[in-house]
Amino acid sequence: MDRRDFMKTSLLAMGTMLTSKLQSSNLLTMIEKDVTYRRLATGERISSIGVGASNLGISSDKDIERIIDIALDRGVNFIDTIVSDDRSVAPVAKAIQGKRDKVLLQMHIGAHYPRHIYSITRNPETAKKAFQEELRKFNTDYADIALIHMIDSESDFRRIVDSGILDHAQQLKRDGVIRNLGFSSHAPAVARKVIEAYKMDAVMLDINAAYDFAPEGNDLTLSEERAALYRECQKRGMAITVMKTFAGGRLLHKDTSPFGLAMTPYQCIQYALDRPAVVSCLIGVSTPAEMENTLDFYNAPEKEKDYSFIGALTFKNVTGTCLYCNHCQPCPANINIGTMNKYLDLGKSGDTLAIDHYAKLEYHASDCIDCGACETRCPFHVKVRDRIAEAKKFFGK
């Protein structure tokens, strides 16, 4: 059996063994109130589904409190604090008041909210003040997990180190203000360099089937770069928390799924939970009903979580669709085309944070020299220059 057939067979097996050996190697699995818990290296139990707060900005304060109440009542104990508008923080803080010891908060160093709207900062003083303000807003004096926010390029990495932001975060951990220190990233190669250079307890990565696959021969196979990163995290005892479980909703609809087939939310969640080192998927919801429906994952039959159909897909299923594999690189204008396309798709799906993330890229669609080299390399025959023009129009540069 060659490597391609082995990878396909392995994926098929994972799709049908939904509480597989991968899970048991990630964690000590416990079930309580129908919720599955995993463990951080420091021993804390963490629910395998957490609340991603980024979508709460469109909800009323009453609904936000209800969403958190539902999650906590049903056993969820993990909340990520990134929001699109920090005025949605107060009802979250209110809902966890008196329950802080039962909730794990994942906070971010390098996110701030000028005029209440989410943005990223690399200024060390601004980052320090913003993190202290985040602690204050949640009425707490510690973060269970603190992530240095968005290390997506080598220049990001250098700025974090050279500015003293990393040193400051490490000191906060020594002081007990941070219990588990990590970082977030959308760039596997950069993430690998960070964890090889510094001891980290956790990392938040965007994990889903759309991002994990790459071309091999005439088939699709799990990206070795991404799979190796997950294995390395597991080897080092690092916890992975997951963002973009549904690829910004793109995977949930046939017309937008890169596979030409829709996945269900439960298939997406199970797929991410089956990756090595993953401890929790952060799901963004905006209504109490969405929270209830998400948590019904735990009681759903295994056949509703089975994602094994992915193992039979070939190029013909995804021709013309960008899978962000970056086989189109190198770009003479230094545009990271895969990342640009990812933010374009997320932005079009309504992810407001993607607009700020795109703005922070070093090179943008407007830098394109229209050489077409990317299109000659793309294994999926994507009309890359059309996508670049669309990104320029959508983002304004």
Side-chain angles (χ1 to χ4, degrees):
M1 179 183 292
D2 64 21
R3 179 177 175 274
R4 181 183 64 200
D5 290 338
F6 174 76
M7 293 294 287
K8 183 178 290 188
T9 301
S10 298
L11 183 59
L12 287 164
M14 284 190 287
T16 54
M17 297 173 61
L18 298 174
T19 53
S20 63
K21 294 178 182 178
L22 270 176
Q23 288 186 335
S24 61
S25 65
N26 289 354
L27 43 87
L28 294 173
T29 304
M30 300 146 285
I31 300 176
E32 182 180 313
K33 292 185 177 181
D34 296 324
V35 170
T36 299
Y37 296 90
R38 302 183 172 191
R39 285 201 185 275
L40 300 174
T42 44
E44 298 98 329
R45 297 189 321 159
I46 182 170
S47 56
S48 58
I49 290 178
V51 179
S54 61
N55 289 351
L56 296 180
I58 64 175
S59 309
S60 67
D61 286 3
K62 182 179 179 181
D63 274 354
I64 293 173
E65 288 185 51
R66 181 63 182 144
I67 287 166
I68 302 301
D69 286 343
I70 289 169
L72 298 183
D73 288 346
R74 292 189 60 173
V76 168
N77 72 344
F78 184 42
I79 301 173
D80 182 83
T81 63
I82 284 289
V83 291
S84 56
D85 185 321
D86 73 350
R87 285 167 288 199
S88 59
V89 167
V92 176
K94 183 178 178 182
I96 67 172
Q97 189 171 359
K99 304 173 185 177
R100 177 66 182 93
D101 61 332
K102 297 179 176 62
V103 177
L104 301 179
L105 292 179
Q106 178 172 271
M107 297 182 167
H108 298 256
I109 301 172
H112 73 137
Y113 298 88
R115 296 177 295 281
H116 298 292
I117 303 303
Y118 164 87
S119 187
I120 301 170
T121 181
R122 297 301 184 216
N123 180 287
E125 292 308 314
T126 302
K128 292 175 186 178
K129 290 177 182 177
F131 184 67
Q132 289 302 316
E133 178 64 11
E134 188 170 14
L135 292 170
R136 186 197 66 77
K137 287 186 294 189
F138 283 94
N139 302 311
T140 188
D141 58 1
Y142 70 95
D144 299 280
I145 301 174
L147 304 178
I148 299 173
H149 193 57
M150 289 278 295
I151 304 181
D152 278 0
S153 66
E154 292 192 26
S155 61
D156 279 339
F157 188 16
R158 288 194 300 272
R159 284 196 292 269
I160 291 298
V161 174
D162 294 345
S163 69
I165 289 176
L166 177 59
D167 287 342
H168 177 67
Q170 291 172 326
Q171 185 60 52
L172 290 177
K173 183 181 178 184
R174 289 191 290 270
D175 294 341
V177 177
I178 293 171
R179 296 188 174 179
N180 295 272
L181 176 61
F183 65 101
S184 62
S185 180
H186 299 85
V190 177
R192 183 69 180 263
K193 290 183 178 181
V194 176
I195 66 175
E196 288 177 348
Y198 294 94
K199 185 181 185 307
M200 293 287 180
D201 305 306
V203 59
M204 182 164 72
L205 300 172
D206 50 352
I207 298 179
N208 59 66
Y211 298 174
D212 268 3
F213 280 80
E216 182 175 295
N218 292 318
D219 295 303
L220 297 174
T221 187
L222 289 170
S223 163
E224 179 55 29
E225 178 183 54
R226 294 182 70 94
L229 174 60
Y230 309 153
R231 293 194 300 267
E232 187 66 22
C233 290
Q234 185 175 59
K235 175 183 173 183
R236 294 170 182 265
M238 291 177 61
I240 297 176
T241 62
V242 177
M243 56 179 162
K244 305 294 184 289
T245 309
F246 308 144
R250 188 180 175 203
L251 281 168
L252 304 181
H253 306 283
K254 178 181 178 180
D255 292 342
T256 57
S257 169
F259 305 127
L261 297 167
M263 292 181 71
T264 69
Y266 297 166
Q267 288 172 323
C268 294
I269 292 169
Q270 189 64 59
Y271 176 87
L273 289 177
D274 280 346
R275 301 310 98 196
V278 167
V279 296
S280 188
C281 291
L282 289 152
I283 307 300
V285 300
S286 57
T287 69
E290 288 178 356
M291 190 76 260
E292 293 276 17
N293 291 339
T294 296
L295 296 180
D296 286 343
F297 166 84
Y298 290 114
N299 298 314
E302 291 187 357
K303 65 181 181 180
E304 292 185 17
K305 306 174 186 179
D306 185 346
Y307 53 83
S308 59
F309 75 92
I310 300 170
L313 295 177
T314 63
F315 273 6
K316 66 183 180 182
N317 298 93
V318 296
T319 296
T321 303
C322 180
L323 286 185
Y324 324 119
C325 67
N326 267 336
H327 277 64
C328 56
Q329 301 289 69
C331 169
N334 296 313
I335 300 168
N336 187 320
I337 295 169
T339 300
M340 180 208 73
N341 278 330
K342 183 185 294 185
Y343 290 155
L344 175 60
D345 288 328
L346 289 171
K348 288 167 59 181
S349 72
D351 185 339
T352 57
L353 304 186
I355 297 172
D356 190 80
H357 295 169
Y358 176 84
K360 296 298 190 296
L361 293 176
E362 294 180 76
Y363 299 93
H364 301 91
S366 56
D367 294 305
C368 176
I369 61 174
D370 200 34
C371 68
C374 50
E375 294 183 355
T376 66
R377 301 189 190 104
C378 178
F380 301 112
H381 307 294
V382 174
K383 295 180 179 178
V384 182
R385 284 178 287 184
D386 288 352
R387 295 276 295 175
I388 290 173
E390 186 180 4
K392 183 177 179 179
K393 181 178 180 181
F394 184 85
F395 293 111
K397 65 175 179 176

